[in-house]
């Protein structure tokens, strides 16, 4: 007798659960009917603005002179090298020279009046989002919102720590 009551209770719970689940408003769906919308006002519909495709670039010349460039359009650029080259070609105020691509990529040799190897062995290095690059600028991609920092610094290796 006890088993019948137990079995009846389990059946009642399962049926109640299934009925409750079937009436849940999130599970009720409208029939799928293709809807054709006739556009009678095609010329006056505002377009959705495109998300900004920009980065910020900072150039630290190592002598207290720092140039910053905000909202640099990267739709035509895929890497740090191209972004920097585009800035120099648009008359943004600095000379940009580089070595032809080698085994490790393009070596940026000069930005502005600062040439690699000058001033006691300073060279141009760059960071993207506060992370020092591990490859050449032409091999380091950029994404919208990135912050690129070029620094003219003297590298001294001491127990694998880069000092500026």
């Amino acid at each position: 007798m006890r088993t019948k009551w137990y079995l009846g209770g389990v059946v009642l719970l399962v049926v109640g659960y299934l009925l409750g689940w079937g009436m849940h408003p999130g599970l009720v769906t409208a029939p799928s009917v293709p809807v054709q919308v006739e556009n009678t006002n095609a010329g006056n519909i505002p377009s959705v603005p495109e998300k900004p495709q920009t980065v910020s670039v900072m150039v630290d010349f190592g002598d207290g002179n720092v140039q910053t460039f905000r909202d640099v359009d990267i739709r035509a650029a895929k890497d740090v090298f191209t972004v920097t080259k585009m800035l120099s070609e648009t008359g943004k105020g600095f000379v940009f020279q580089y070595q032809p691509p080698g085994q490790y990529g393009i070596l940026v040799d000069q930005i502005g009046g600062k040439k690699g190897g000058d001033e006691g062995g300073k060279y141009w290095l760059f960071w993207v989002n506060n992370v020092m690059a591990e490859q050449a600028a032409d091999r380091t991609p950029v994404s919208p919102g990135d912050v690129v920092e070029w620094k003219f610094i003297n590298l001294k290796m001491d127990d694998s720590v880069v000092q500026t």
Side-chain angles (χ1 to χ4, degrees):
M1 176 99 161
R2 190 173 197 192
T3 306
K4 287 182 182 180
W5 281 100
Y6 181 72
L7 187 57
V10 170
V11 169
L12 188 60
L13 282 174
V14 170
V15 169
Y17 175 76
L18 291 175
L19 284 174
W21 182 61
M23 293 190 172
H24 187 274
L27 297 177
V28 176
T29 58
S32 177
V33 177
V35 177
Q36 290 195 356
V37 177
E38 189 173 319
N39 191 354
T40 58
N41 197 17
N44 295 328
I45 296 175
S47 62
V48 177
E50 186 178 313
K51 289 184 180 179
Q53 299 288 311
T54 61
V55 297
S56 295
V57 179
M58 179 191 82
V59 182
D60 181 347
F61 292 92
D63 58 3
N65 181 19
V66 177
Q67 286 184 312
T68 57
F69 306 92
R70 295 183 183 175
D71 300 324
V72 178
D73 188 350
I74 61 166
R75 286 178 289 188
K78 64 180 188 284
D79 54 54
V80 171
F81 172 78
T82 308
V83 168
T84 309
K85 186 175 181 211
M86 284 179 2
L87 280 173
S88 72
E89 290 172 348
T90 57
K92 297 291 185 178
F94 60 84
V95 174
F96 183 65
Q97 292 183 353
Y98 50 91
Q99 299 294 322
Q103 177 181 0
Y104 301 108
I106 294 175
L107 171 68
V108 173
D109 193 40
Q110 181 175 352
I111 299 177
K114 305 288 184 167
K115 185 172 175 101
D118 290 351
E119 297 182 25
K122 289 185 176 182
Y123 293 90
W124 285 104
L125 296 175
F126 67 96
W127 285 252
V128 177
N129 300 327
N130 290 324
V131 177
M132 186 174 159
E134 295 181 359
Q135 55 191 357
D138 63 317
R139 296 182 181 175
T140 303
V142 289
S143 299
D146 282 351
V147 175
V148 177
E149 301 172 77
W150 281 98
K151 296 181 182 182
F152 190 62
I153 61 174
N154 190 351
L155 283 182
K156 294 181 181 177
M157 301 306 280
D158 182 24
D159 295 328
S160 301
V161 176
V162 177
Q163 297 177 353
T164 59

